[in-house]
Each structure stands twice: as C-alpha cells, then as structure tokens.
Amino acid sequence: MKRFIHLLAILALMLPSPIAYASHVVGGDVEYECTGPRNWKVRLTIYRDCTGATLCSSMSCTQTMTASPNTTLNPVGCTATPNQVNVSLSLVKVEDVGKTYVDVCGSSAKNGCNNLGQVAPGGNSPSIEKYVFEGTLNLNSPSLNNTTCSYWDVYWTLCCRNANIWNLAGSSGQDFRIGATINIFDNTTNNCKNNSPILRNEPVISICAGQEYVLNVGAVDPDGDVLTYEIAPSLQGGGNPVNYQPPGSANYPFPLNSTKAPHIYYPQPNGPYVIIDSTTGDISFNALNNTAGYIYGNLNLTIKQWRYDNNGNRILLGKTQRDMQVYTINCGSNNLPKITTIPSNINNQPILHYSIYAGDSLSFTIIAKDTDAYTTIPRFDTTYMSWDQGVVKPGKLLFKPNYTVDSLSPQPREDAWQFSWKTDEGDTSAIPYYFSVTARDNFCPNVGRTTQTFSIQVNANRAPIISSFSPQIGVDDDVITIYGNNFSNTTAVTFGDVAAKHFSVITPSIIFANVDTGATGAVKVVTPKGTALLN
C-alpha cells in the first residue's frame, strides 16, 4: 500500500500542475477567409509567454477549434445537424512578437523565446512569441445545408489564464477563450464574400507607464465592409464573460492616470477607462505603475463587420477579437514619437480625416516626430515609420519615404513619408478608406511606439439623384427615408422648401430625414455638386 501511494506521488509530480499549464498563453486573435460556399480558412494566432509551460514541442503541432451556432444572435429554435463541428489546425509559423525591434536595437531587444529552437534566445523581457495555426471550417455538408442558424461561432479554449492579472478576479481559475462569429446567410450555393478583417498590426505587449499611448490593430477588411470597434469583456469557458475585480473592468484593464491626457478630455463618472474610437479602432490611454515590476492587465477588442441592405438597415456579417494580456512597467525617461502631418491643423495637430471628390488628387506628408534630442547626454532618438497597407491602389497611390532609401544615403532623424493618390470615378466609395501608420523610436530595448489611423472619403463627382422616398406623407418629427445616389456631403434637405429638422446621410444612396413643420411639395437634397428634386 505504501509503495502504491509512493507511485501516485511520483506520478503527481510528473504531471503538469494547473498553474504551470496556465502560465503561457497571454492572448490570441482569429481571422477567417472564405474559400467557397460555406468553407473558410481559419487562422488562429496564439501569443505565448516563453517563461511558462510549452504550447507545442515541434512544428508538427496541431490544435482544434470548435464551431457551433451562436446562442444569442440566431433566432430562437434554430436547428443545425450536427450542431458542433471540429476544425483541425496545423502550425504554420512561430516567431517573436516585436522581432522588428531587433532590426533597430540589435541583440538588446531579443527576448527569451527560441521559437521551437529556430533562433537563439536573448535577455529582453517580457518574452512573448506568436504561434499561427491554420485549418478549414467546412459547413457545406449535406446535413448542414438546411440549417436555420445564420451565425456560427468558431472558438478555441484553454484552461487557464495567468495568475495576478490586475483587472480579473482569480485569473488563474478562469479559462482563456478566443474566437470569431461568422454570418453564413449568403453562402448557401454561391461563392461567398464574407471574410474577416485582417489584423495587420502586432499587439503591443509592454507599455511604459506615464505616457499617452495610441494603439490600433490595423484591421483591413478585404470586402470593404463597415467596421466598428468596442472594448468588450473577455470570454472564458462556455462563452461566458470573465469575472472582473473592482476597480478593474473590461475598460479599466490596469491603473490609469486620470489627471493626464487622454483621460482628462473625457467625462469619467466611474473612474478612468481606455478611450476607443468606435469608427477607426484607435485605443488611447495613460497607464500608471507605482511598483518596481510589471502590472498585468487584460484587454479585449471586438471588431464587428456590417453591410447595409437596400433599405439602409445594417446587417451584422461577423465579428472577431483580439484578447491580450498587457504588461505595464516604468521604462525610464522616453517621450513617445508623435505623428504629425504637413499641412496640419492648429497647434501642429495632425489632419487625420480627408474628404475629396473622385477625380481629385490628394497629397500630404506624415512625419514621426520625437522630442528626445539631448545634446549633453548625448542622445538623439531616431524614428521609423510603417503602415498597414490599408489602401492599395497600384499605379495610382504612392506612400513611401520622401528621401532616398539606399545604403549610401542616411535616413533623417525623424522619418517622413509622402502620401499621394490620384483618384478616379472607380474609387468612389460609400465608406471611407482607412489606413494606420505606426511610428517607432530607437529607445532600446523598450522601443516607444504609437499608431494613428487616417481616413479618406472619396465622394462621387456627380450631382445627387432622388429616386424615391417613403412614406409619402409625414407630420412633425416623422422620419422620411430618401433613396437615390450621390448623397455624400449633403448640406440641406427640405420638404416643400421647409428645412428638415434633422437629417443623416446613412450611405451615399440613403438619407434619413426628420420632418419639421414641412409643406406639400418637392423633396430636395442639396450637395456641393448640385440639387436633386422629386415631387
């Protein structure tokens, strides 16, 4: 009996402990690419802390995701046979997060990851690497062709999250779940066009306290769908939200400095929170850390895709996540690079949003400024720029350094790129074009980084046209839907020459307008390109 108990003890020591098993995955995101009717290539990216337990032992590693009908978006009683489908994924790549910093800083920026023995580890911390898996989600089987469930979740779950995450209650006892939701409504027999956005920017793992950060995942939608962004609760097993501990929350992932920008510019009745632009996805905050080590916080971004139907109603096409554990630390004296433009707004603030007509040309300069120039140390921070290639128009659009790039020509201390686009009628778009620019400095090994999103609205270079409106009769404050074309930059809407109380351009083809007192007569829409009338 004693020998049997001794063997059990030895086996227990050989098995991985729950804490060790939970101490390596710090984040993830999911992308999907449609390859045919109800078939998607799914890409699962997992971010691993190299100081914890292993995720894979070799490049032959596999993972399994699960797909099942969404329990909240589908109509009650929707059916699917089977109601659960497994997705087998193979490992295709392992590499450091922030490996580009090594190009700037050399070996001092190399972290402690060896990428399954492919590279030599270094001494920088935190040490995070990303594992990229790919597989096929097939919902095209005969038994599923009659499913009444439009929204399907595809997800990966692991027990458990790391310990001591600042905004989570008992984080080591909460599962990690990452996934996406796909609307399969228009993919029964036709080749589909429902792809997820591609996340072009790597996550920022380490944040220096005491500075205003602006981050962006660089989401580019290949279908041109409308994207919206929100900070949402992270998920655990069963798709349930994680448990937060006060004062932390989904919007308050780590201590924030409420006396500094950007928080002082926003009302915060329930304490500071990260600021997110729901249209561009820019996330800004100013972290605090009064300790000698790291403070870990969990931050989850949800990206939703939308398309408008012929009546101006938004249809949810899908959503995906980036769930990350962020490390805040005191880095020392370093001012982050700032993005400016020529021309600029007042006080040298960058111009981030542009509106032009198809056929016009647009040109401006973007500069990565850095104020760290100390002649007495000496220290002169150099900046480097990159972009997510969110707008690709070969032969018509150029975005490149405005200096000669070769081994004989020195780069300026502050990187500067020229954006030039000669648009044409085919560039007219119902939604703005977006792209993000990232500026980095060479404060090694804790490279400073900031990201900013730019938008360009290309409007039809034609007069507006009204094809119809509904309802035909309205009284004070009724909403009239106006259908037509070329409604971008509408300056006025009238009913019988009486101005609408309020109007909103939903798309270049749809306007919602509230009747004021109104009068019998023509409906009129006015833009800088002309006036449309319909009796």
Side-chain angles (χ1 to χ4, degrees):
M1 184 65 178
K2 288 182 178 179
R3 184 184 180 192
F4 178 70
I5 294 174
H6 183 65
L7 286 172
L8 286 178
I10 293 174
L11 287 172
L13 290 172
M14 293 174 63
L15 292 172
S17 70
I19 293 177
Y21 184 64
S23 64
H24 61 291
V25 171
V26 298
D29 50 64
V30 174
E31 300 167 343
Y32 52 88
E33 175 188 350
C34 189
T35 57
R38 292 191 177 177
N39 276 268
W40 289 267
K41 181 169 74 173
V42 179
R43 182 177 300 106
L44 168 68
T45 302
I46 297 298
Y47 302 95
R48 170 187 174 257
D49 186 338
C50 301
T51 63
T54 59
L55 178 65
C56 294
S57 59
S58 71
M59 289 298 296
S60 61
C61 182
T62 61
Q63 296 291 329
T64 300
M65 298 185 74
T66 304
S68 60
N70 183 282
T71 57
T72 57
L73 295 174
N74 284 308
V76 176
C78 81
T79 59
T81 304
N83 64 1
Q84 183 169 300
V85 176
N86 288 332
V87 183
S88 298
L89 304 110
S90 299
L91 181 62
V92 297
K93 182 171 65 174
V94 184
E95 63 183 13
D96 289 355
V97 173
K99 69 174 185 177
T100 56
Y101 298 169
V102 177
D103 298 335
V104 175
C105 300
S107 60
S108 68
K110 177 66 184 81
N111 64 30
C113 304
N114 65 17
N115 306 159
L116 293 179
Q118 298 178 89
V119 297
N124 194 27
S125 181
S127 297
I128 308 297
E129 61 187 0
K130 62 179 180 182
Y131 286 66
V132 181
F133 299 86
E134 291 182 352
T136 299
L137 169 61
N138 183 358
L139 299 180
N140 199 31
S141 64
S143 60
L144 281 172
N145 284 342
N146 295 320
T147 178
T148 58
C149 304
S150 295
Y151 293 96
W152 282 70
D153 294 335
V154 54
Y155 55 90
W156 182 83
T157 303
L158 177 75
C159 175
C160 301
R161 296 178 183 264
N162 285 357
N164 302 317
I165 299 178
W166 185 82
N167 58 330
L168 300 187
S171 56
S172 62
Q174 300 197 51
D175 294 339
F176 176 88
R177 170 167 161 154
I178 192 71
T181 301
I182 308 174
N183 187 336
I184 68 169
F185 71 98
D186 60 353
N187 303 321
T188 304
T189 58
N190 299 320
N191 287 334
C192 55
K193 295 183 179 180
N194 190 4
N195 303 286
S196 77
I198 302 167
L199 307 187
R200 293 276 176 80
N201 294 342
E202 266 191 345
V204 173
I205 302 298
S206 181
I207 297 294
C208 294
Q211 303 182 38
E212 179 182 3
Y213 270 81
V214 180
L215 310 177
N216 191 288
V217 297
V220 177
D221 191 276
D223 305 326
D225 297 326
V226 176
L227 301 181
T228 60
Y229 305 82
E230 60 187 63
I231 302 297
S234 295
L235 300 177
Q236 55 178 322
N240 299 311
V242 297
N243 299 315
Y244 292 97
Q245 59 182 0
S249 67
N251 292 298
Y252 190 9
F254 32 72
L256 298 170
N257 192 340
S258 60
T259 66
K260 297 289 182 67
H263 309 292
I264 57 174
Y265 303 129
Y266 296 88
Q268 299 170 312
N270 298 317
Y273 46 82
V274 296
I275 312 300
I276 182 167
D277 186 315
S278 62
T279 301
T280 67
D282 284 347
I283 302 171
S284 55
F285 55 86
N286 195 316
L288 275 176
N289 186 346
N290 296 321
T291 73
Y294 290 110
I295 294 178
Y296 312 134
N298 175 252
L299 184 64
N300 180 61
L301 174 69
T302 295
I303 307 169
K304 296 181 179 179
Q305 304 158 261
W306 305 89
R307 188 176 299 162
Y308 288 95
D309 65 15
N310 292 333
N311 295 317
N313 300 312
R314 287 201 312 179
I315 300 173
L316 179 65
L317 301 181
K319 58 182 180 179
T320 191
Q321 302 172 261
R322 173 169 281 171
D323 187 320
M324 287 306 305
Q325 177 179 308
V326 180
Y327 300 64
T328 65
I329 190 174
N330 293 301
C331 299
S333 178
N334 181 46
N335 293 307
L336 294 178
K338 293 187 178 297
I339 294 173
T340 63
T341 61
I342 299 176
S344 64
N345 279 320
I346 190 171
N347 296 325
N348 203 32
Q349 292 301 304
I351 299 176
L352 302 175
H353 308 293
Y354 299 82
S355 180
I356 60 174
Y357 284 99
D360 293 346
S361 295
L362 178 65
S363 181
F364 57 92
T365 301
I366 301 177
I367 306 172
K369 302 290 290 184
D370 198 295
T371 58
D372 289 324
Y374 308 112
T375 57
T376 57
I377 299 179
R379 176 183 156 201
F380 301 90
D381 281 2
T382 299
T383 59
Y384 305 85
M385 276 205 310
S386 60
W387 74 308
D388 63 5
Q389 300 185 30
V391 187
V392 178
K393 297 286 180 176
K396 299 191 301 180
L397 186 151
L398 291 175
F399 187 40
K400 63 179 183 177
N402 61 3
Y403 51 88
T404 302
V405 180
D406 60 36
S407 59
L408 300 177
S409 303
Q411 177 185 323
R413 188 179 78 83
E414 295 181 326
D415 208 354
W417 289 30
Q418 185 73 24
F419 182 96
S420 301
W421 186 10
K422 176 62 174 75
T423 66
D424 57 33
E425 194 65 28
D427 296 320
T428 302
S429 175
I431 60 175
Y433 295 88
Y434 293 99
F435 67 93
S436 66
V437 172
T438 297
R440 297 179 176 87
D441 65 21
N442 63 339
F443 184 73
C444 299
N446 297 307
V447 171
R449 165 180 162 176
T450 190
T451 301
Q452 199 77 65
T453 300
F454 292 79
S455 70
I456 304 171
Q457 177 68 60
V458 181
N459 303 304
N461 197 3
R462 298 185 297 271
I465 299 171
I466 301 175
S467 58
S468 64
F469 56 88
S470 178
Q472 298 290 311
I473 299 174
V475 297
D476 185 22
D477 213 36
D478 280 357
V479 177
I480 307 297
T481 303
I482 305 171
Y483 301 96
N485 282 300
N486 311 327
F487 291 155
S488 299
N489 294 334
T490 293
T491 57
V493 174
T494 63
F495 300 105
D497 288 330
V498 177
K501 181 182 293 185
H502 173 75
F503 68 88
S504 298
V505 179
I506 305 305
T507 74
S509 302
I510 298 174
I511 292 176
F512 291 165
N514 295 76
V515 176
D516 200 339
T517 55
T520 300
V523 174
K524 181 166 65 176
V525 172
V526 181
T527 78
K529 291 297 177 179
T531 299
L533 290 169
L534 185 64
N535 289 324

